[in-house]
Amino acid sequence: MDGPHKFQFAIDRGGTFTDVFARCPGGKVRIMKLLSEDPANYKDAPTEGIRRILEEETKLAFPRDCPLNTNLIEWIRMGTTVATNALLERKGERIALLITRGFRDLLHIGNQSRPKIFDLEIQMPDVLYEEVIEVQERVVLQREDCGLPKDPCIKSFVGSTGDSLEVWEPVNLEQLKVELLGVLSRGIRSLAVVLMHSYTWSEHEHQIGELARSLGFTHVSLSSEVMPMIRMVPRGYTACADAYLTPCIQRYLDGFSNGFQNRLKDLQVLFMQSDGGLTPMHSFSGSRAILSGPAGGVVGYAITTYNHDHPQPVIGFDMGGTSTDVSRYAGEYEHVFEAITAGISIQAPQLDVNTVAAGGGSMLFFRSGLFVVGPESAGAHPGPACYRKGGPLTVTDANLCLGRLLPDYFPRIFGPSEDQSLSKDDTLRMFQELTAEINLFQSERMGTGESLTVEEVAMGFIRVANEAMCRPIRSLTQARGHDTSRHVLSCFGGAGGQHACAIARSLGMKSVFIHKYGGILSAFGMALADVVHEAQEPCSMVYNANSYRYLEEHIAALEKQCIEELQKQGFHRSQIDSEPFLHLRYEGTDCSLMCSSKGYPATADSCRVGDFRKAFCYRYMTEFGFTIPSRNIVVDDIRVRGTGSTGIRCESCIKPSGQPARVETVTKCYFEDGYKDTSVYLLQELACDHTIQGPAIIIDKNSTILVEPNCTATVTEYGDIQISVGSEHQRPIGTELDTIQLSIFSHRFMSIAEQMGRILQRTAISTNIKERLDFSCALFGPDGGLVSNAPHIPVHLGAMQEAVQFQLRNLQDDLKEGDVLLSNHPCAGGSHLPDLTVITPVSTQ
């Protein structure tokens, strides 16, 4: 393909490394990886990466202490973890919260979620604000069933949702001014404003915003602008996060701009948002920047892996040093609209990325007869044991022990002086000590005479780590009604290639795809991404014939807003697409699903935009297995996503070699049935006519790919790796104790119990269940004994076992799969009379 006339840069500024993808004039591609923080050598990593590439490619001098000339640059696209790190480390801006009088502790109380209910010492996350000002104002919703007499002196208004409101008390601006000046005098310059019904009537918040800015506050986040959604607690958290993080982002952007002539005013600079779309630098805000880096990876694999001609859904698998991110793409991006990061619930569109604390640096433990991987990580310092800095055993060490990592092909950057190779000796010594401990435990505690070898122990930890990484993939697929085995596994990140075949095989997947830029796919994805502008407004109408016209008019208005905004950024109308969504739920439930009408054309019984009812019911049935036809469907929000297509593609074909692939060397690699001769290849030497039979290792500059036995790797026309995953020899599982199998199945059973709880909470109508989370879910064995319980209310768990065993004693001969028993009597094992125990037998045959 023809190359650009100027330099194009796509950059992912991560917490540890900054990845740079550059297209040079003529089409040459440059890849660069450098430390995100290196104050001894440069002020800003992205600027330094651009400077180095310009200097090396043009042979001109670009001094570090001078702003870069932008005449040679066409555009810059970036993702950054600045917002995420500030939130995780609590290093954001000092802020104050302004909230309706009487609700000063609302965000401190939060909701009833208890993510670590069994911890002996639970640390409550700190709130982001330092001070609270209670605003004297009150707006209330009018209700038909309200018993209070109507005051004729009180004015009524109709909000943006169509609800009628009454202003009982206007904002006391004089009193508020005094309190704001006090906050200002104490050095706080950023505010979050959260008033009770501002999502539908924002006048009071705008009055406060104007006052605060006139007094000298540098940033004011109004909840009605940041995310105008109904629930006050997540809306308040989101406004606080925006006020806390946006000034940090602006400071970073100011520093970045200072590294270029004219402060980038004559250059297109776009930043990746959490929803997978690019936005101009001046529009980049804190609440939409949490997944800025990972979003680039999702866009990268979605565009390069998914085939629209032969659609097969894709699972993105991004395995790094401390954690693994998984996501799903089936022709359109999957978003969530409320997610918790660092204890803060943020209500903003984000790509649905699930994270598990298992990565290359995850530490290995043997605890109470179980193999445990993570969540603790060795980090970059001291790092894994093989880094020669006295670190602990990690997943990376297990791969090294089994011969899956080759020290000779790693840079010599390890040890105290950072000039040595990986140390396999240190890894083997520590595994020998751990193996002796495990064998001693088995012989003394369990009476098991068979001893495990070092390789069997390392392999056991790999299998447990793989199972931990399978859990979020099952949550994205099986828990939502999708068949996991019908997906392609798209693997990227530095550590994922060593585990891809095993994970795909465990999940029944037949194909693995690894992009040639897999080590920097987040940066590459930003080069391919489109510009996105979204418009959203709340709604509280029932979806029926009476609301169709209202919905059509408001969708049209939001579409016009998106199109006009993208046209201002230089897009022609033919480059712009818009897609409307309705946020729908059953009346009385809290589970809202953002539904598009794509694929559901309008009918006589739907609005003209499309049949949203049919779309909602299909998705609800897919995820939960039932619908509630007797209940009204309520519209919570109207949303339009406008996309400006850049049409940029950065793929170029490679030529066939006409020769067999050259084997770099042959090494010994350990698999389930022992050591096997394993051929080693260099990715840069492979051509599109090469096929590689497993076992094999393919080495790239940024990653190592393991092709397991019964798997076949082929090189695509673009130089990517496609692996066909064959079946594995099935090992019989007996009744004798196996600590590795026990560890694996504990993950699987826990995953089932957790999925039960999530579906119960999302579909519940009872406030006790959906908000107070007053429930427990567990699995029991054939004798009624507890097998696995999710981290729910402990008081139920002991009683549940009694209830199950009581029913087994009395009904065992009559129970069959599909039966549902409901018990609430203390004599039948319930903890106390109000508790309801639902029991369903499941056949394991």
Side-chain angles (χ1 to χ4, degrees):
M1 63 183 296
D2 294 335
H5 298 295
K6 293 184 176 183
F7 286 88
Q8 300 170 341
F9 292 96
I11 304 170
D12 175 28
R13 185 191 184 279
T16 305
F17 290 102
T18 291
D19 299 330
V20 182
F21 172 86
R23 289 183 76 211
C24 308
K28 180 182 178 181
V29 171
R30 286 290 309 271
I31 305 296
M32 184 171 289
K33 188 181 284 279
L34 61 164
L35 290 170
S36 293
E37 300 287 343
D38 191 358
N41 293 305
Y42 47 81
K43 295 179 181 178
D44 178 68
T47 307
E48 176 65 12
I50 293 171
R51 188 195 68 80
R52 289 184 187 180
I53 290 175
L54 289 176
E55 199 166 68
E56 292 168 10
E57 291 299 318
T58 64
K59 310 302 181 185
L60 300 174
F62 289 87
R64 281 202 180 107
D65 55 353
C66 295
L68 290 175
N69 184 342
T70 58
N71 291 333
L72 297 173
I73 303 172
E74 183 177 342
W75 48 251
I76 298 172
R77 299 172 171 205
M78 274 184 64
T80 175
T81 58
V82 168
T84 313
N85 293 341
L87 191 59
L88 290 170
E89 299 167 9
R90 292 297 194 265
K91 293 182 178 178
E93 186 79 355
R94 296 178 63 197
I95 69 168
L97 170 66
L98 278 66
I99 195 165
T100 301
R101 185 173 58 182
F103 292 89
R104 70 174 296 120
D105 293 321
L106 181 71
L107 301 187
H108 175 71
I109 296 169
N111 57 30
Q112 290 288 316
S113 63
R114 297 171 286 270
K116 297 182 179 179
I117 195 167
F118 296 126
D119 280 10
L120 296 178
E121 183 181 4
I122 296 176
Q123 298 290 332
M124 189 171 181
D126 294 331
V127 293
L128 300 179
Y129 50 85
E130 289 186 25
E131 297 192 28
V132 181
I133 296 176
E134 294 189 73
V135 181
Q136 292 186 36
E137 68 88 39
R138 196 56 184 262
V139 176
V140 298
L141 290 172
Q142 284 185 345
R143 290 178 57 108
E144 297 292 335
D145 57 352
C146 179
L148 294 175
K150 183 169 176 57
D151 188 340
C153 298
I154 294 179
K155 268 191 172 184
S156 294
F157 298 88
V158 176
S160 62
T161 59
D163 291 313
S164 296
L165 305 104
E166 295 180 356
V167 179
W168 284 11
E169 185 178 5
V171 181
N172 187 336
L173 293 173
E174 290 301 319
Q175 174 63 30
L176 183 60
K177 181 178 179 180
V178 173
E179 296 185 72
L180 286 174
L181 288 171
V183 167
L184 202 59
S185 69
R186 291 185 286 277
I188 295 176
R189 298 286 186 274
S190 185
L191 301 176
V193 184
V194 186
L195 302 184
M196 194 165 189
H197 295 297
S198 62
Y199 66 91
T200 184
W201 193 73
S202 58
E203 180 62 28
H204 283 180
E205 281 198 355
H206 285 292
Q207 291 177 18
I208 294 170
E210 290 174 10
L211 173 64
R213 293 185 186 98
S214 69
L215 294 176
F217 285 92
T218 56
H219 183 83
V220 182
S221 292
L222 306 180
S223 72
S224 56
E225 292 180 348
V226 173
M227 183 47 64
M229 297 179 81
I230 292 175
R231 292 189 296 160
M232 190 176 180
V233 171
R235 178 161 50 88
Y237 281 140
T238 306
C240 285
D242 195 75
Y244 188 74
L245 299 174
T246 300
C248 297
I249 288 176
Q250 291 304 321
R251 277 196 297 273
Y252 174 74
L253 295 181
D254 287 342
F256 179 65
S257 301
N258 288 336
F260 298 84
Q261 291 180 1
N262 298 324
R263 293 180 47 83
L264 295 173
K265 291 177 181 177
D266 53 352
L267 190 65
Q268 185 193 57
V269 182
L270 301 172
F271 274 78
M272 177 62 75
Q273 299 184 112
S274 301
D275 64 0
L278 296 166
T279 191
M281 185 167 65
H282 61 80
S283 302
F284 193 48
S285 66
S287 61
R288 292 177 179 251
I290 301 300
L291 291 182
S292 177
V298 176
V299 173
Y301 84 75
I303 292 176
T304 58
T305 307
Y306 186 79
N307 186 337
H308 288 271
D309 296 328
H310 304 283
Q312 185 177 4
V314 183
I315 292 294
F317 178 74
D318 179 6
M319 184 178 177
T322 58
S323 63
T324 298
D325 294 333
V326 301
S327 54
R328 180 176 183 271
Y329 183 82
E332 58 185 36
Y333 297 110
E334 298 187 357
H335 292 96
V336 293
F337 295 85
E338 186 175 337
I340 296 175
T341 303
I344 301 297
S345 177
I346 296 179
Q347 203 174 41
Q350 300 181 25
L351 290 170
D352 192 1
V353 177
N354 288 11
T355 302
V356 61
S362 293
M363 295 164 60
L364 310 181
F365 307 95
F366 184 74
R367 292 174 178 160
S368 304
L370 291 177
F371 283 59
V372 180
V373 178
E376 298 91 339
S377 174
H381 183 81
C386 58
Y387 280 19
R388 300 179 184 267
K389 293 183 180 179
L393 283 176
T394 67
V395 172
T396 296
D397 291 295
N399 279 311
L400 180 62
C401 175
L402 300 175
R404 300 176 175 200
L405 293 178
L406 305 179
D408 290 344
Y409 294 89
F410 274 72
R412 300 175 68 86
I413 58 172
F414 305 101
S417 304
E418 298 185 345
D419 58 357
Q420 295 176 279
S421 62
L422 288 174
S423 173
K424 191 170 183 176
D425 291 340
D426 288 350
T427 292
L428 289 175
R429 175 180 52 78
M430 293 186 69
F431 261 116
Q432 287 164 357
E433 294 171 1
L434 182 58
T435 301
E437 177 190 335
I438 292 170
N439 288 332
L440 181 63
F441 178 92
Q442 292 196 148
S443 61
E444 290 185 350
R445 301 284 185 91
M446 303 179 180
T448 303
E450 293 186 13
S451 295
L452 297 175
T453 66
V454 167
E455 290 84 0
E456 287 171 334
V457 169
M459 192 70 201
F461 279 111
I462 292 294
R463 292 174 62 197
V464 172
N466 289 342
E467 189 59 39
M469 291 182 283
C470 285
R471 280 174 69 177
I473 296 177
R474 291 192 178 99
S475 295
L476 281 175
T477 54
Q478 294 172 359
R480 299 182 184 180
H482 306 297
D483 185 349
T484 311
S485 65
R486 295 179 181 274
H487 292 67
V488 175
L489 186 69
S490 180
C491 179
F492 54 105
Q498 299 147 44
H499 299 258
C501 290
I503 286 174
R505 186 176 274 150
S506 178
L507 295 167
M509 296 178 177
K510 301 300 182 186
S511 182
V512 173
F513 183 88
I514 303 175
H515 196 274
K516 63 183 174 184
Y517 298 137
I520 60 147
L521 197 64
S522 288
F524 184 65
M526 290 166 201
L528 306 178
D530 292 326
V531 179
V532 169
H533 181 81
E534 289 200 354
Q536 180 171 322
E537 64 178 41
C539 181
S540 58
M541 291 189 166
V542 174
Y543 183 80
N544 58 27
N546 296 328
S547 62
Y548 290 163
R549 184 175 178 182
Y550 175 92
L551 295 173
E552 291 162 2
E553 290 175 350
H554 283 251
I555 286 172
L558 294 177
E559 281 184 334
K560 182 181 178 185
Q561 180 182 330
C562 289
I563 291 168
E564 289 177 350
E565 180 60 35
L566 290 169
Q567 286 177 329
K568 288 179 185 176
Q569 297 181 37
F571 288 96
H572 189 269
R573 182 64 184 87
S574 62
Q575 297 175 283
I576 300 172
D577 288 320
S578 63
E579 185 175 4
F581 296 84
L582 295 183
H583 210 189
L584 304 172
R585 62 180 170 85
Y586 280 121
E587 194 171 40
T589 71
D590 272 0
C591 176
S592 297
L593 300 177
M594 191 67 77
C595 297
S596 165
S597 62
K598 184 185 291 185
Y600 299 93
T603 67
D605 189 31
S606 76
C607 67
R608 287 179 292 177
V609 180
D611 193 347
F612 287 97
R613 181 189 302 277
K614 191 173 181 180
F616 171 76
C617 291
Y618 175 81
R619 186 168 165 197
Y620 203 92
M621 173 63 79
T622 300
E623 288 202 26
F624 307 122
F626 68 96
T627 57
I628 317 176
S630 60
R631 282 193 171 261
N632 288 328
I633 297 174
V634 177
V635 184
D636 275 345
D637 302 279
I638 306 169
R639 169 179 168 241
V640 172
R641 181 177 175 88
T643 303
S645 177
T646 59
I648 294 171
R649 294 293 175 266
C650 302
E651 302 276 31
S652 56
C653 295
I654 62 173
K655 296 178 181 179
S657 69
Q659 301 290 330
R662 187 183 76 85
V663 178
E664 171 77 4
T665 186
V666 177
T667 186
K668 292 284 187 182
C669 209
Y670 189 88
F671 297 96
E672 293 282 356
D673 50 355
Y675 278 104
K676 290 182 179 292
D677 287 337
T678 304
S679 299
V680 179
Y681 301 86
L682 301 181
L683 180 61
Q684 66 195 39
E685 295 183 0
L686 298 180
C688 60
D689 56 349
H690 287 154
T691 298
I692 296 170
Q693 298 293 333
I697 293 174
I698 302 173
I699 295 178
D700 184 23
K701 294 178 181 177
N702 299 311
S703 61
T704 298
I705 301 167
L706 178 69
V707 184
E708 296 203 356
N710 296 324
C711 297
T712 303
T714 55
V715 184
T716 71
E717 60 180 324
Y718 297 116
D720 309 318
I721 300 295
Q722 185 95 34
I723 302 176
S724 296
V725 181
S727 59
E728 183 183 28
H729 174 68
Q730 297 295 318
R731 295 184 304 123
I733 299 175
T735 56
E736 67 277 4
L737 183 62
D738 184 330
T739 54
I740 297 172
Q741 287 294 133
L742 185 63
S743 304
I744 290 171
F745 276 100
S746 70
H747 275 285
R748 295 198 177 180
F749 290 138
M750 178 66 77
S751 178
I752 294 170
E754 289 174 346
Q755 289 177 29
M756 290 164 61
R758 278 194 291 270
I759 290 177
L760 178 62
Q761 179 190 355
R762 294 187 70 196
T763 59
I765 294 170
S766 163
T767 303
N768 247 19
I769 294 176
K770 68 184 181 183
E771 292 186 10
R772 292 194 60 244
L773 310 183
D774 189 3
F775 62 85
S776 293
C777 296
L779 276 73
F780 298 86
D783 61 351
L786 179 66
V787 173
S788 179
N789 63 271
H792 299 149
I793 301 294
V795 70
H796 299 145
L797 296 174
M800 241 197 293
Q801 177 171 303
E802 295 296 321
V804 172
Q805 291 176 337
F806 178 90
Q807 299 300 338
L808 284 175
R809 286 194 300 269
N810 288 275
L811 298 171
Q812 188 163 20
D813 295 336
D814 299 322
L815 285 176
K816 58 184 181 299
E817 186 166 11
D819 288 344
V820 179
L821 307 179
L822 177 62
S823 169
N824 79 323
H825 198 285
C827 295
S831 56
H832 56 292
L833 194 57
D835 274 357
L836 301 172
T837 305
V838 180
I839 305 166
T840 303
V842 177
S843 172
T844 58
Q845 299 301 318

